[in-house]
Every structure is written in structure tokens, then in C-alpha cells.
């Protein structure tokens, strides 16, 4: 890096809230551990309020995302470092929670999978890398690309939303600084500003927590809109282990109030599909009829419950 480039970057960082120095915390290492923990906990309490200030923008982005995903589009998270890892984490949790296809919610991190555990030199500085990643993915106009960057200036995230927007995909820019280049580049800018970090510039802390909370909302509420839940029950949960098998039975019990024997019978007939079993029990129909109704209602259980079958 040349001296002029270094000076320019340093000047940019000095303007970012996430990079601000906190003089009042300059002696934090001299405090007892409990006092440090209390201070850090107090800092963390500012995060939900920062998210709350962006709820209208978050809701608008979710509605737009759900509309495209209902047409078969994908939700694609893209970021570098901590931001990228958080996107990959949220994406990886959707299949077991909502029974989504792994290709439906995707997390891309600058530098590829190896960057999840080890920094890839220079990857975050490349807009071209983001363009290539989206090209490899075969981006469509029904897809949604979420660029994630605490600073709001990461080239990889900005390049992702710029390229996606030129192709007609929905774009969301999630940043933790106001007036960010990332939010400006995206159709939906979300700027959650929790303030300077406990450790100067360590954006895996408050900024990371803020990003995680917003990503939780984007994926969870989008899935609610797509009919992946029934009330607050995860009726599309994939029972891939013993804990989730037990949870599946409990969800069916909470939704229907049916006795264990009927629940077991329904789940067996439905090949373990929780949503199908609930519909069978509540509507008193067999498994093929339940499957047909759910297909006709695009997977929305409430709509399937009110559907009627044509007279033979």
C-alpha cells in the first residue's frame, strides 16, 4: 500500500462511528474483570435501540424480499470478515429451521469458504470478486442480495449490491455507520448505528451483534411471510436428529392438542412432515389430501386449513 493510499484510508476510517476512539475507556484494562464485564454489557444494551430506529427500513426490505422469494428467488448474503461469517451463519441455519433448500438462502464470504476460519488477504477490497461470485451463482431478477458491512465502505459488499442492482435483483445494504456508501448503493439501505465499539474498531462486537439481530429478522420474518411457520411454531422444521424429532412431536401437540398416539400415526403417514401432520389432524384428512392442499396453498398452513376439496 502506497503512503498516499494509506493516508486516504486512515482519513476515511477516522470519519466512521464504528472506528471512533473512546477516551473514557482508555484505562479499561486496569479494572477488575467484573467491572469490565459490566461496562461491556452496558455497551451491548445500546444495540437493540439502534436496531429499533431502523425497523421501518427493515420491514420494507423484508416485504420486498418475501415477494421475490415467493416467485422462486433466492436470499443471498454477501460480506467480508465478521459480516460475511454472520451471513453464512444465518444462511446455514435456514434449512434445519425452515426446511428450505440449501440453495434458497445463500451466504457468500469474500475469499470463499476458507475465509470463515482464516482471513484471506485483500479479498474484502475487491469489487470484481463480488461480481465473479454472483456470476458463478447465476443471479436472477427474482433474487435478493444483501450486502453486509459494518463500516459501509467494504468494496466486496458494495460491488455485490452495485452489480446485483444493474441486473435487476433486489438489493439491501446493511451498515453500522450513517450515510454509508453501501446503503446508498442499495435499493434498501439499512443503517443500524450502535456507536463506537468497546474496543476501538472491533466491529465483531456491537456492530456484529446489530448485524446478527437484523439478519435474524430478515430471514425469520421472510420465512413467516412465506408460510414457513404457523403462529410462532416452526412447522417446517426438519427433524434431522433426536432433539429435532422430539421438537417436531411437541410442535404437532402444541398446534393440535392431539394425543401422542394420534400424533405418531399422523407423522408416520406424513413421512415426518410436521406441517402435513398438523393439517391432517386439524382438518381430519389423510396424508395425500393434506399434501395436495398444501401444494395448492403454496405451503401456507392457515390457507390450507380453510381450503376445501372439489367434489368428486
Amino acid at each position: 500500500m502506497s503512503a498516499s493510499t494509506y493516508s486516504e484510508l486512515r482519513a476515511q476510517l477516522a470519519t466512521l462511528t464504528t472506528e471512533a476512539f473512546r477516551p473514557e475507556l482508555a484505562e479499561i484494562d486496569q479494572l477488575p474483570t467484573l467491572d469490565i464485564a459490566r461496562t461491556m454489557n452496558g455497551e451491548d444494551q445500546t444495540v437493540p435501540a439502534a436496531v429499533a430506529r431502523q425497523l421501518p427500513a427493515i420491514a420494507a426490505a423484508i416485504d420486498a424480499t418475501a415477494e421475490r422469494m415467493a416467485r422462486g428467488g433466492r436470499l443471498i448474503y454477501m460480506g467480508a470478515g465478521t459480516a460475511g461469517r454472520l451471513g453464512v451463519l444465518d444462511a446455514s441455519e435456514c434449512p434445519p429451521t425452515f426446511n428450505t433448500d440449501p440453495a434458497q438462502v445463500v451466504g457468500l464470504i469474500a475469499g470463499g469458504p476458507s475465509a470463515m476460519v482464516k482471513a484471506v488477504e485483500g479479498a474484502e477490497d475487491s469489487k470484481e470478486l463480488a461480481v465473479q461470485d454472483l456470476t458463478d451463482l447465476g443471479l436472477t431478477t427474482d433474487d435478493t442480495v444483501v450486502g453486509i458491512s459494518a463500516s459501509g465502505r467494504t468494496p466486496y459488499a458494495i460491488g455485490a449490491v452495485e452489480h446485483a442492482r444493474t441486473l435487476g435483483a433486489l438489493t439491501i445494504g446493511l451498515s453500522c455507520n450513517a450515510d454509508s456508501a453501501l446503503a446508498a448503493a442499495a435499493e434498501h439501505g439499512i443503517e443500524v448505528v450502535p456507536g463506537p465499539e468497546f474496543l476501538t474498531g472491533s466491529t465483531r462486537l456491537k456492530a456484529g451483534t446489530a448485524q446478527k439481530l437484523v439478519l435474524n429478522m430478515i430471514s425469520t420474518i421472510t420465512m413467516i411471510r412465506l408460510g414457513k411457520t404457523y403462529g410462532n411454531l416452526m412447522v417446517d422444521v426438519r427433524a434431522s436428529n433426536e432433539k429435532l424429532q422430539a421438537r417436531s412431536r411437541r410442535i404437532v401437540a402444541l398446534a393440535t392438542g392431539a394425543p401422542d398416539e394420534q400424533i405418531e400415526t399422523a407423522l408416520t403417514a406424513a413421512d415426518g412432515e410436521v406441517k402435513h401432520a398438523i393439517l391432517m389432524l386439524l382438518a381430519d384428512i389423510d396424508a395425500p389430501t393434506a399434501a395436495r392442499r398444501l401444494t395448492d396453498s403454496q405451503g401456507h398452513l392457515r390457507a390450507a386449513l380453510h381450503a376445501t376439496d372439489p367434489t368428486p
Side-chain angles (χ1 to χ4, degrees):
M1 181 185 295
S2 66
S4 61
T5 302
Y6 170 76
S7 296
E8 181 182 349
L9 178 57
R10 185 174 178 181
Q12 288 179 10
L13 293 177
T15 67
L16 300 178
T17 302
T18 49
E19 298 289 332
F21 175 63
R22 303 278 298 278
E24 71 274 22
L25 298 178
E27 303 295 324
I28 194 73
D29 57 322
Q30 303 297 310
L31 296 178
T33 299
L34 180 57
D35 288 347
I36 297 175
R38 285 194 178 113
T39 303
M40 194 169 179
N41 180 246
E43 289 294 307
D44 289 340
Q45 292 179 39
T46 67
V47 177
V51 173
R53 290 190 287 271
Q54 288 293 302
L55 288 178
I58 294 168
I62 290 170
D63 282 338
T65 300
E67 181 181 347
R68 299 216 182 191
M69 291 193 77
R71 301 200 299 258
R74 297 167 294 180
L75 173 58
I76 304 164
Y77 296 128
M78 299 185 68
T82 297
R85 294 183 187 100
L86 289 169
V88 172
L89 172 63
D90 198 73
S92 67
E93 290 176 339
C94 285
T97 306
F98 301 111
N99 201 17
T100 57
D101 186 295
Q104 192 174 8
V105 184
V106 180
L108 298 177
I109 183 170
S114 62
M116 284 293 293
V117 294
K118 184 178 180 181
V120 176
E121 194 72 26
E124 75 168 52
D125 297 325
S126 175
K127 287 188 176 183
E128 293 73 22
L129 182 59
V131 172
Q132 185 60 56
D133 285 346
L134 286 174
T135 300
D136 293 343
L137 208 58
L139 194 70
T140 76
T141 56
D142 284 335
D143 292 331
T144 298
V145 173
V146 183
I148 314 166
S149 167
S151 68
R153 59 162 298 282
T154 305
Y156 180 82
I158 295 172
V161 299
E162 286 178 341
H163 180 66
R165 197 165 185 181
T166 64
L167 296 180
L170 181 72
T171 55
I172 301 170
L174 173 56
S175 169
C176 292
N177 281 287
D179 303 317
S180 68
L182 176 59
E187 183 177 347
H188 292 269
I190 301 172
E191 296 179 320
V192 179
V193 186
E197 295 288 3
F198 174 76
L199 296 180
T200 305
S202 182
T203 52
R204 72 182 185 87
L205 300 178
K206 289 195 297 185
T209 301
Q211 290 167 345
K212 174 58 175 166
L213 291 177
V214 175
L215 296 182
N216 281 350
M217 287 185 178
I218 291 174
S219 58
T220 302
I221 301 175
T222 295
M223 293 302 160
I224 290 173
R225 288 285 164 255
L226 293 176
K228 295 289 187 178
T229 66
Y230 178 64
N232 64 341
L233 296 175
M234 297 183 292
V235 292
D236 260 337
V237 66
R238 179 177 296 169
S240 56
N241 57 41
E242 290 183 355
K243 181 189 77 172
L244 293 179
Q245 288 172 3
R247 180 177 291 165
S248 295
R249 283 152 178 76
R250 184 167 184 268
I251 289 171
V252 177
L254 289 170
T256 67
D260 290 346
E261 183 177 342
Q262 289 184 20
I263 291 172
E264 290 297 331
T265 300
L267 279 170
T268 298
D271 197 25
E273 294 286 349
V274 171
K275 187 184 291 183
H276 293 64
I278 292 172
L279 181 57
M280 290 167 63
L281 291 167
L282 291 181
D284 192 22
I285 56 179
D286 61 18
T289 303
R292 184 172 60 253
R293 284 195 189 179
L294 284 166
T295 297
D296 291 344
S297 66
Q298 290 76 50
H300 289 259
L301 179 53
R302 287 193 189 278
L305 281 168
H306 292 94
T308 56
D309 297 302
T311 303

